[in-house]
């Protein structure tokens, strides 16, 4: 993943009527480097009702950074894994470091892992081997598995059945149709919706969003990517989540307060946010260094 570069950020939305959690964002790719950057991003989010975020790794430098960030601010927790597009040449040392980082008490999920058949950065065989390893890691650590699934629905579901899923499975930025949503819900999986559910051409995704049980629903930005309507194409950040919350609430025929509250409570339960140790107040030495690309 890359930074959003020079794309202009949208103005802040109207604050939500109830607080909620951004269940998947990439603060480093949003441009955050230091503890002060993280605090500023979370202050912007809190001003519109987004009170906590899960910042997610996609490669090893990012994994090291998100773990540090989770110890800089109480409102930040982390998820650690290697993105499927980063799995072409994994080593035993890579596995060992991911396992060590994922074991940190403020890492709340193993993710994002899964399969991505859209990009041609890693062969399917390597992606599938890494996905199986991450499934096993989540089960060994007793943490939720956070899945990236792009153009790979059948294989993702098949491999979960073959390996046996962890107790909690989260489909980040769910992209399937209503039939897949029902299948996932029946299996007990949690489905997280991002900006695309607000896009005007996303009819099948919108139909899927309506059938998900309320207690299996999360909301996310996937910032700096997938900025919701009406600011599609501009830079995304956790403070932009209210537009997705409102779009999803309209689709489901509920108030924004109800949608925000239930998604927030679901995130608290799924990621066990009430059981976390406190963040370390002062960053560790060297923690403000820019992570490598």
């Amino acid at each position: 993943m890359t930074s959003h570069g020079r794309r202009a950020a949208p103005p802040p939305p109207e604050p939500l009527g109830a607080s909620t959690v951004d269940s998947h964002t990439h603060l480093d790719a949003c441009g955050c480097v230091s503890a002060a950057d993280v605090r500023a991003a979370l202050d912007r989010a809190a001003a519109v009702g987004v009170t906590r975020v899960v910042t997610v790794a996609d490669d090893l430098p990012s994994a090291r950074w998100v773990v540090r960030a989770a110890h800089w601010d109480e409102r930040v927790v982390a998820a650690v894994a290697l993105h499927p597009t980063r799995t072409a040449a994994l080593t035993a040392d890579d596995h060992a470091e991911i396992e060590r980082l994922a074991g940190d008490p403020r890492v709340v999920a193993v993710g994002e892992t899964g399969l991505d058949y859209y990009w041609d950065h890693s062969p399917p065989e390597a992606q599938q081997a890494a996905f199986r390893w991450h499934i096993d890691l989540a089960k060994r650590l007793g943490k939720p598995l956070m899945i990236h699934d792009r153009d790979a629905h059948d294989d993702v579901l098949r491999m979960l059945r073959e390996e046996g899923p962890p107790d909690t499975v989260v489909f980040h930025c769910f992209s399937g149709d209503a039939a897949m949503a029902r299948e996932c819900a029946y299996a007990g999986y949690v489905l997280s919706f991002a900006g695309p559910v607000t896009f005007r051409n996303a009819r099948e995704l919108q139909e899927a969003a309506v059938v998900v049980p309320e207690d299996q629903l999360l909301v996310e930005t996937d910032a700096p990517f997938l900025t919701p309507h009406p600011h599609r194409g501009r830079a995304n950040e956790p403070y932009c989540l209210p537009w997705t919350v409102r779009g999803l609430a309209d689709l489901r025929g509920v108030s924004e307060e109800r949608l925000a509250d239930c998604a927030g409570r679901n995130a608290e339960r799924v990621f066990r946010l009430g059981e976390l140790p406190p963040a370390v107040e002062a960053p560790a030495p060297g923690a403000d260094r820019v992570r490598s690309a």
Side-chain angles (χ1 to χ4, degrees), residues 44-62:
R44 288 190 289 274
V48 297
V50 181
T51 55
R52 301 189 83 159
V53 307
V54 183
T55 190
V56 182
D58 66 5
D59 61 14
L60 271 171
S62 178

Side-chain angles (χ1 to χ4, degrees), residues 204-258:
E204 288 192 349
L205 180 60
Q206 291 165 353
E207 292 171 351
V210 172
V211 304
V212 180
E214 191 172 69
D215 64 350
Q216 291 172 261
L217 181 76
L218 296 174
V219 289
E220 64 171 91
T221 57
D222 198 22
F225 317 103
L226 304 179
T227 312
H229 177 81
H231 299 289
R232 184 176 182 178
R234 299 180 72 174
N236 201 4
E237 201 178 282
Y239 78 82
C240 298
L241 187 60
W243 284 302
T244 298
V245 169
R246 291 184 172 113
L248 199 51
D250 286 346
L251 288 170
R252 293 174 64 90
V254 300
S255 68
E256 70 171 63
E257 290 83 4
R258 177 168 175 171

Side-chain angles (χ1 to χ4, degrees), residues 1 58 82-88 116 119-122 127 148:
M1 303 293 183
D58 66 5
L82 291 172
H83 192 279
T85 60
R86 312 287 192 183
T87 57
D116 189 316
W119 297 108
D120 189 24
H121 298 320
S122 181
Q127 292 189 43
H148 172 103

Side-chain angles (χ1 to χ4, degrees), residues 80-200:
V80 167
L82 291 172
H83 192 279
T85 60
R86 312 287 192 183
T87 57
L90 293 182
T91 67
D93 287 344
D94 295 335
H95 283 152
E97 185 167 8
I98 286 294
E99 183 161 352
R100 177 183 65 79
L101 291 166
D104 186 277
R106 289 189 62 82
V107 171
V108 298
V110 173
E112 58 186 288
T113 178
L115 302 174
D116 189 316
Y117 295 165
Y118 178 82
W119 297 108
D120 189 24
H121 298 320
S122 181
E125 297 77 15
Q127 292 189 43
Q128 292 178 19
F131 186 31
R132 292 183 195 277
W133 181 83
H134 282 97
I135 293 171
D136 178 68
L137 177 62
K139 290 192 285 189
R140 286 189 284 111
L141 293 177
K143 296 187 178 184
L145 182 74
M146 182 182 283
I147 291 178
H148 172 103
D149 165 26
R150 189 167 188 187
D151 294 352
H153 302 327
D154 290 345
D155 279 356
V156 166
L157 293 173
R158 172 181 59 81
M159 293 176 66
L160 285 170
R161 291 191 298 268
E162 290 173 356
E163 296 299 312
D167 289 342
T168 303
V169 172
V170 177
F171 273 77
H172 129 70
C173 192
F174 183 77
S175 58
D177 59 13
M180 183 180 174
R182 290 189 183 96
E183 180 176 354
C184 288
Y186 181 78
Y189 304 154
V190 178
L191 308 185
S192 183
F193 289 88
V197 78
T198 70
F199 295 170
R200 291 171 176 170

